[in-house]
Amino acid sequence: MSEHRPSDQPGEYDEFDEIVGAETDRDPDLAVIEAGSRTLRAQGGPRRDEVPSRPEDPEVDQALRAVEQELAGRWGETKLDPSLARIEALMDVLGDPQRAYPTIHITGTNGKTSTARMIEALLGAFELRTGRYTSPHVQSVTERISLDGEPIPAERFVETYDDIKAFVELVDAAQEHRLSFFEVLTGMAYAAFADAPVDVAVVEVGMGGSWDATNVIDASVAVVTPVDLDHTDRLGSTPGEIAVEKSGIIKAGATVVLAQQPVDAAQVMLKKAAEVDATVAREGLEFGVVAREIAVGGQLLTLRGLGGEYEQVFLPLYGTHQAHNAAVALTAVEAFFGIGAEHARPLDMDTVRKAFASVSSPGRLEVMRSSPTVVLDAAHNPAGARAAADGITESFGFSRLIGVIGSSEGKDVRGVLEALEPICTELVVTQNSSHRAMGADELAAVAVEVFGDERVVVEARLDDALEAAITLAEDDAEFAGAGVLVTGSVITVGEARLLLGRR
């Protein structure tokens, strides 16, 4: 393994986002690098950024930090008790806010958040007020709860917590275990949606389905993105076993929108749908991607939904997997509006096009800068890494690609590395600041087995790793088309976004 010490050179942002809509001008939070880390290259030019920064008002920031600290003192998302007892008790004392609006519930292994964002954009384009609950967050916990397509403001996040805090403590006192971090956030989301009020909520499971805290809703539409291997210690060792738990979101009389699945997972889902008399729309049969072509800043799609074909749909996201997510999202919205059951006509074409053109998905093959191009992708399991590798290969003409990877304990890092090895010339191994981060040396030992000693660089600090990768990409004039891919964990990508954010 080699060491690399970079030198600073200027860079600039890729402005491809300009073709898909208005941009905002928000400066990301720099808290991660306040403790003496070196400043990365300054970037220039506007870009969209839907990930909120720290509140500018010191009092609001202090109040948000207090809530974050209280939430962090509860069971984390990796410590689970397979029971709905606590969240059901919280919903009961709150007056069942989750029943105040219809819901679309999303499970699966990969693609849930991107699909949720697309569903949200479509519903919003049809003038419905939306609430979206997704996890994990990229940079700020407030991202998890969105209203009308925007993360809930920090002030409102704090107010929502304060509103339900007494009820949370009441449930804590009555249960064997206190409500977990995720359970409290779920209660906050459902309460915030009822208070808004929203016309429809788009809810992504945290993990699994049956006993996931979100599963106190009776969604009229259940969406299942591709099921693959992840969280195998908790959900099962095969797609079929994992699908048993995920099928728990399918409720009586619902419409199930089923993405392409491994055979054993599809069998489980179809059996569950039959048991509860749910209607199933299957990708490749009732709906799907008819055609796609690479376009500047994304891809141009023809989608077939339950109501017909939708042509010339621009999606400003990269990768075949995002095209399939778009087909799933479109069908879910059609099903929500009764198309395919009550109506045979398609949704308004111009509205659909406008909605998809507005979609963003931070940390999913997201271009952060150019010269050299730096792409972030939150892939953290082999299936996600394969999708990212395919998307990079298809959409970017890199002559040389430097990978930066930081992972979490318990993940199939070998599978992720094997997916990245064919596309990455060199790999910079690092670790993020999470207490669950896999140590850089431990990860490097696996990386050397996959990549070989000469292709692996170790930089324990993420800022150093980014600097090393960017400089490697700039080192030789022969590699003018070199790029950098940062991946391995949502946390790694979130921290990289902060470090690469425009000053």
Side-chain angles (χ1 to χ4, degrees):
M1 291 176 290
S2 59
E3 293 185 357
H4 191 92
R5 301 305 300 182
S7 61
D8 289 339
Q9 295 179 18
E12 61 183 24
Y13 277 113
D14 183 342
E15 297 180 354
F16 79 97
D17 277 340
E18 291 181 357
I19 69 172
V20 295
E23 300 167 326
T24 56
D25 186 19
R26 303 178 188 168
D27 289 333
D29 173 34
L30 302 181
V32 169
I33 57 170
E34 286 176 351
S37 62
R38 277 178 299 138
T39 300
L40 295 177
R41 296 166 180 78
Q43 312 300 317
R47 67 178 177 86
R48 289 189 313 170
D49 192 354
E50 296 182 2
V51 177
S53 59
R54 297 300 309 185
E56 293 183 5
D57 186 326
E59 291 186 6
V60 176
D61 185 53
Q62 184 178 6
L64 178 59
R65 291 185 187 277
V67 172
E68 290 170 333
Q69 186 174 2
E70 289 187 34
L71 291 171
R74 296 179 172 274
W75 272 7
E77 290 170 286
T78 59
K79 185 172 183 179
L80 304 169
D81 177 33
S83 169
L84 294 178
R86 291 176 301 279
I87 188 66
E88 286 175 342
L90 180 59
M91 293 297 99
D92 183 56
V93 297
L94 290 176
D96 288 321
Q98 81 282 12
R99 306 204 186 285
Y101 38 81
T103 51
I104 296 175
H105 207 175
I106 306 172
T107 190
T109 302
N110 292 308
K112 296 188 295 296
T113 297
S114 293
T115 302
R117 284 176 166 269
M118 294 180 200
I119 291 172
E120 173 189 51
L122 283 162
L123 293 169
F126 284 99
E127 300 184 351
L128 292 181
R129 185 158 206 211
T130 58
R132 172 172 52 85
Y133 181 50
T134 53
S135 61
H137 56 275
V138 177
Q139 288 176 202
S140 171
V141 69
T142 61
E143 296 166 39
R144 298 190 181 216
I145 304 173
S146 289
L147 294 172
D148 297 321
E150 295 290 336
I152 189 171
E155 296 92 335
R156 192 161 188 173
F157 186 89
V158 172
E159 289 170 1
T160 302
Y161 179 77
D162 289 342
D163 286 345
I164 74 166
K165 182 177 180 180
F167 299 99
V168 168
E169 293 172 347
L170 183 67
V171 173
D172 284 343
Q175 297 290 322
E176 180 182 359
H177 302 293
R178 298 170 70 218
L179 286 153
S180 70
F181 168 88
F182 188 72
E183 286 168 335
V184 175
L185 275 177
T186 301
M188 290 173 61
Y190 289 160
F193 297 160
D195 184 61
V198 301
D199 297 314
V200 55
V202 183
V203 178
E204 174 190 333
V205 303
M207 186 187 299
S210 295
W211 45 261
D212 185 77
T214 63
N215 202 30
V216 289
I217 53 176
D218 291 317
S220 60
V221 178
V223 176
V224 186
T225 66
V227 173
D228 213 297
L229 301 182
D230 199 10
H231 303 296
T232 53
D233 56 331
R234 299 178 178 89
L235 301 179
S237 58
T238 68
E241 290 177 357
I242 293 170
V244 171
E245 172 59 31
K246 293 183 182 292
S247 70
I249 74 165
I250 300 174
K251 305 297 172 60
T255 298
V256 183
V257 179
L258 196 61
Q260 291 180 342
Q261 303 289 345
V263 173
D264 56 346
Q267 289 173 337
V268 169
M269 295 294 175
L270 293 172
K271 180 181 178 182
K272 177 60 181 286
E275 289 173 352
V276 300
D277 196 27
T279 301
V280 180
R282 299 157 294 180
E283 185 179 8
L285 294 174
E286 285 78 24
F287 72 94
V289 179
V290 176
R292 60 183 295 270
E293 59 183 273
I294 304 305
V296 177
Q299 51 193 306
L300 198 62
L301 309 175
T302 298
L303 304 175
R304 178 165 54 85
L306 302 177
E309 286 196 1
Y310 300 79
E311 299 177 339
Q312 298 293 304
V313 175
F314 175 69
L315 180 68
L317 300 175
Y318 299 103
T320 305
H321 60 295
Q322 294 290 15
H324 289 284
N325 289 340
V328 169
L330 175 63
T331 304
V333 173
E334 287 184 315
F336 180 78
F337 285 130
I339 293 174
E342 302 169 17
H343 313 290
R345 57 179 172 76
L347 297 170
D348 179 75
M349 193 74 68
D350 288 340
T351 305
V352 169
R353 289 172 180 152
K354 178 182 177 182
F356 275 118
S358 73
V359 169
S360 68
S361 193
R364 277 76 180 178
L365 288 182
E366 179 186 19
V367 177
M368 283 299 295
R369 57 159 286 169
S370 62
S371 301
T373 300
V374 178
V375 182
L376 309 183
D377 193 86
H380 55 275
N381 55 47
R386 289 192 294 270
D390 289 344
I392 285 282
T393 301
E394 175 186 74
S395 301
F396 299 87
F398 293 133
S399 59
R400 179 189 189 195
L401 182 64
I402 314 302
V404 176
I405 185 168
S407 187
S408 299
E409 290 285 358
K411 294 296 182 180
D412 181 3
V413 294
R414 182 177 295 276
V416 170
L417 290 167
E418 288 173 348
L420 297 176
E421 190 276 333
I423 68 166
C424 291
T425 311
E426 291 102 348
L427 188 73
V428 182
V429 175
T430 189
Q431 66 189 69
N432 58 56
S433 65
S434 168
H435 67 280
R436 295 191 291 113
M438 174 178 283
D441 289 339
E442 181 183 358
L443 181 54
V446 183
V448 166
E449 293 177 4
V450 175
F451 278 75
D453 186 81
E454 293 184 357
R455 294 169 64 194
V456 176
V457 175
V458 181
E459 293 284 4
R461 284 170 45 138
L462 180 56
D463 59 334
D464 289 340
L466 291 171
E467 288 280 3
I470 289 170
T471 303
L472 280 169
E474 293 175 336
D475 263 353
D476 196 324
E478 176 187 352
F479 300 115
V484 175
L485 171 66
V486 183
T487 190
S489 162
V490 176
I491 298 169
T492 299
V493 164
E495 293 181 355
R497 282 183 108 255
L498 295 178
L499 289 162
L500 292 164
R502 184 171 58 83
R503 301 305 187 258

